[in-house]
Amino acid sequence: MAKKDIICIVSSRYKAVFLKINSSTTILDLKFDVAERLDLPYESLILAYEDETVGSLKFSIENDGDLTSMVEHCHNLGLKEVHMQAFKEGDDSSNKQENEQVRQDIASSSLNSKNIDCGPSALWTTSFPDKNPNDNPSEDDVMTIDGMINRSERHGNNAGQSRASRRFIATQLQPTLKVRPDIRPIDVQKEFLSSYGIRVDYSKIWWGKERAQEKLYGDAHESYDQLRWYVEEVKKTNPGSYIHVEQNEGRFTRLFICYAACINGFLYGCRPLLFLDGTFLKDRFKGILLSAVAYDGNQGIFPLAYCICDQENNVNWKWFLQGLWSILYERPDPYNPPHKLVIISDADKGIREAVREFFPDSIHSRCVLHLVENFRTKLKDLGFKSKDTQILGNLLQSACYKYTRAEWNDYMDDIRLVDERAYNIVMNYAPENWANAFFPGVRYGHVTSNVAESFNKWIHEARLLRILQLVEHIRKQIMVRMNERRTMAESWNQFLCPKAELALKENMENGRPLEVRQSHTGLFEVQSHRSCQVDLDNKTCTCRGWDVTRVPCKHACASIMFMKRDVYQFCDWFMTVEAFKKS
């Protein structure tokens, strides 16, 4: 327990909870915690401090000043424990003053122009309209704010009226946003209607939420202005990081961030494989976050770099990929990967053109899930039945994972048997861009951009914040993740990372009973359900399992064990624990 903390016992009838408070605790935080844990309505909650040192007097704790005075009073008396009581409005006749104050808050008019923010000016290169924003509400289940609004009061008299002020809405939303930063104005609007029986304009709730966020996270405009300071601080405290803010006549346009630990980790410990994707931001000015994510040796997410811009288009993707090229190749020790850099993404919205311009020697691969989705959409447009669309999509997705062209052709024949038009659509997709059997590079078995989408979910909370808080939130996430990876690696005593170790041992077990014949120094013929040729010198097998995953397949394992050599020495560097520790 911190030196200045005080144990606070809050009771309500037959229930009580322990809380820790200090001079920095706010009345909103305290009331929210009490309301949530004692199942009391936040809006009608009243707190009283019981001071036994002066004859068991009760002091009403109504604001931050009261709470701070109580804490200082306890410190002066050397008390480490205080007792408070929680009441619901109306349970105690002595609380009339509090009741009246709440009613005045409800009745305060939202038409008072002195309390109204006039709206943001555009900070992006594209302009934003003055109309109320649309947050595109989804059908996701959203936690209600019962703890914020008293469901039992004011339901009948105010129906159809809009009398709750923006200040009042902001006050109620502030503690809620701490635990539910993603709550939508549309949900708050519904709660006011069901709880208060009043209809509040969407715009008023939106601005109320903006005020609450401003109290919590600061002014949105100021957050952009502070980016210049943030860039200098990162360069000063984290040498080797690449961070750049681009402006147009003093207005923010784009931000690129890649920390030194991410650059070095990718160059020296990750596969030469990148996943690109974009996701929407949900702060006041919206925007897009473009990301480049990799896999570490244990198949974990490894964030490399990201960019914040106004929209996902060809210009912004080129700017982002130019930054990626700089951190990978404009270095004193240029990165020369053992295989060509492979970039996996959805090929839409300008990514393909940007990759061709800045990474001409790389190999671009389409995300199979996006390709299958596009395929099914085209089938529906042609009038295919839903059942046939599903079957054909599954066949296409399965074909992508097959290692050999013979297996791939089997699935293509099945698609052609269903409908020739579907087959023609597939062939127009250029299989060398997505099918394992034809892909010219090494994707280590990855054919989707799921890792990039996992990254988007990982930063979900950050996407709701002001831009300065957003970048700091992501920095802290990366820092914590790096430390967790370091701690995890210290406990590993094997040569390979656990997931690579598991795959290799499974292939070794499956390869033990296979019949092996040596045809040359490093060439072998291995008999399983079909005959396969293994080339240990070039680390290939005609089953193409070794070629695609870079883990020795069962045929290769059988050949290596036949020669009584160390199987682990035939695994790629990126799968080793040593490489993981460098990433």
Side-chain angles (χ1 to χ4, degrees), residues 226-337:
Q226 291 174 335
L227 283 178
R228 289 187 288 268
W229 163 83
Y230 185 80
V231 168
E232 295 305 316
E233 286 299 308
V234 170
K235 291 179 179 179
K236 186 188 306 180
T237 60
N238 200 332
S241 297
Y242 187 95
I243 177 170
H244 177 67
V245 176
E246 186 176 273
Q247 302 178 61
N248 181 16
E249 297 181 354
R251 295 191 300 176
F252 173 87
T253 55
R254 288 182 287 250
L255 169 68
F256 183 100
I257 292 183
C258 182
Y259 298 107
C262 298
I263 299 173
N264 295 328
F266 176 75
L267 294 181
Y268 304 115
C270 291
R271 300 163 172 81
L273 186 64
L274 279 180
F275 301 83
L276 305 181
D277 198 14
T279 186
F280 291 100
L281 300 179
K282 299 182 180 181
D283 74 334
R284 184 169 176 178
F285 299 111
K286 306 304 179 186
I288 292 287
L289 186 146
L290 310 178
S291 62
V293 185
Y295 268 122
D296 61 30
N298 201 42
Q299 304 286 11
I301 296 175
F302 190 91
L304 175 59
Y306 66 92
C307 161
I308 296 175
C309 52
D310 59 343
Q311 57 185 308
E312 187 174 0
N313 57 28
N314 190 35
V315 173
N316 287 331
W317 271 116
K318 283 186 176 182
W319 190 81
F320 180 50
L321 286 176
Q322 183 178 17
L324 285 179
W325 186 88
S326 297
I327 64 176
L328 297 180
Y329 296 100
E330 284 188 343
R331 306 171 53 82
D333 52 341
Y335 178 49
N336 297 308

Side-chain angles (χ1 to χ4, degrees), residues 84 295 348:
M84 298 183 72
Y295 268 122
D348 297 335

Side-chain angles (χ1 to χ4, degrees), residues 96-112:
K96 292 181 180 179
Q97 184 176 0
E98 174 73 10
N99 298 348
E100 182 62 26
Q101 181 63 45
V102 173
R103 293 190 183 94
Q104 289 177 6
D105 284 341
I106 290 289
S108 60
S109 172
S110 63
L111 300 179
N112 185 352

